[in-house]
Amino acid sequence: MIIGRQLSGPWSRTVMRYRRFCPTPSETRSRQQRWETTRSPWLTARALSMGNTCQPTSGNLNAEAMIENRADGPTLRTSRSRTIWTILAVIEVLLAATAVILDLLIPTIVILVLATISLAIRRTGPASLGFHRVPRPGQMIISVFMLAIAWTVIQFSLTLPILNHLTGQRQNLNQFAGLQGNLGMLLIFLALTWTLAAVGEETVYRGYISTRTGEVFGQQRAGIVLGVAVSSALFALAHTEQGMIGVIVTFLDALFFSALRWRFRTLWAAVLAHGFNNTIGLVTFFFVGPIYGLW
């Protein structure tokens, strides 16, 4: 009675399963038992994975082979798929770099088209490039605005004066000639700042190029750093019309935007920082003209 109670319920079913997959010598000699074991290789394999120590039969060997085939197949397919996407990401980064270096048409628009095609091929949306929602957007906007003001002060009070004295050059601002006191031109530049520059360039550089570079080198810290470096370098090269000083300052701006993008974990932070930074510069230029540094 005690034994019967101990083996009742799930324990009895466990013992029966064990005996089914680990038959005694007399049961092994039974043709019917061998047929039962062989006809259910997947159940036999399950018993083996649960610690079965009995000698493998032909059914067990077949089950192990089937497990290896089932396990290796998806792994190989996943590995090949990962390799294909990595190669595609390399090609995309090279194409984007070519558009910037050769200054094809308007590089930002060219790369935006490339990014759109890339998202369509991958069947993903803008969220894959970093456009994530934040729990308190109002707080983020205020924080980014204050940081943009602080960064502008640093650029005018430290970066630009130091670069001017070291190189003997100034940032080329000829593209903004006529902006001072011209309200119509200011409104046009502000519209371009918040569309083509803030949204467009951040989608291209901090979003698309940085993400694809991360896919090439991995999504760990090293891959993120390389993604920031590559996207920032290309962003700076896209502003060669501002001279060497402009390229350096733009590269530093790119690092600042990237830091905010990862600090707030959304590309919207970089978009806002870019827009605020350019807006402060344009409004200042409108009232007082070009400023090459505070000293």
Side-chain angles (χ1 to χ4, degrees), residues 56-112:
T57 63
S58 60
N60 295 344
L61 294 176
N62 291 336
E64 292 176 350
M66 292 177 67
I67 290 177
E68 292 179 359
N69 292 336
R70 287 281 297 269
D72 292 344
T75 302
L76 291 175
R77 289 194 295 270
T78 303
S79 178
R80 292 171 184 171
S81 177
R82 187 181 300 111
T83 301
I84 292 174
W85 288 118
T86 300
I87 294 174
L88 181 60
V90 171
I91 295 174
E92 292 179 55
V93 173
L94 292 176
L95 290 176
T98 301
V100 172
I101 295 173
L102 298 182
D103 196 20
L104 296 177
L105 302 175
I106 300 177
T108 298
I109 296 179
V110 173
I111 302 175
L112 277 175

Side-chain angles (χ1 to χ4, degrees), residues 210 213-230:
S210 181
T213 305
E215 291 179 3
V216 175
F217 296 103
Q219 297 295 341
Q220 302 302 320
R221 180 175 299 179
I224 293 175
V225 171
L226 287 172
V228 170
V230 171

Side-chain angles (χ1 to χ4, degrees), residues 165-184:
H165 285 79
L166 289 178
T167 63
Q169 301 179 20
R170 289 183 175 182
Q171 186 177 6
N172 188 346
L173 300 176
N174 291 335
Q175 59 180 322
F176 302 107
L179 174 60
Q180 185 177 3
N182 191 331
L183 181 59

Side-chain angles (χ1 to χ4, degrees), residues 126-141 143-144 147 198-199 202-203 205-208 210-211 254 256-274:
S128 65
L129 301 182
F131 283 105
H132 305 302
R133 294 181 179 179
V134 293
R136 290 182 289 272
Q139 182 177 348
M140 182 192 70
I141 293 173
S143 299
V144 171
L147 290 171
V199 176
E202 293 308 310
T203 301
Y205 295 99
R206 257 62 64 190
Y208 175 65
S210 181
T211 300
F256 172 66
F257 300 151
S258 297
L260 294 183
R261 181 252 189 273
W262 291 106
R263 166 63 180 82
F264 292 94
R265 299 187 178 184
T266 177
L267 193 57
W268 287 115
V271 171
L272 291 172
H274 196 156

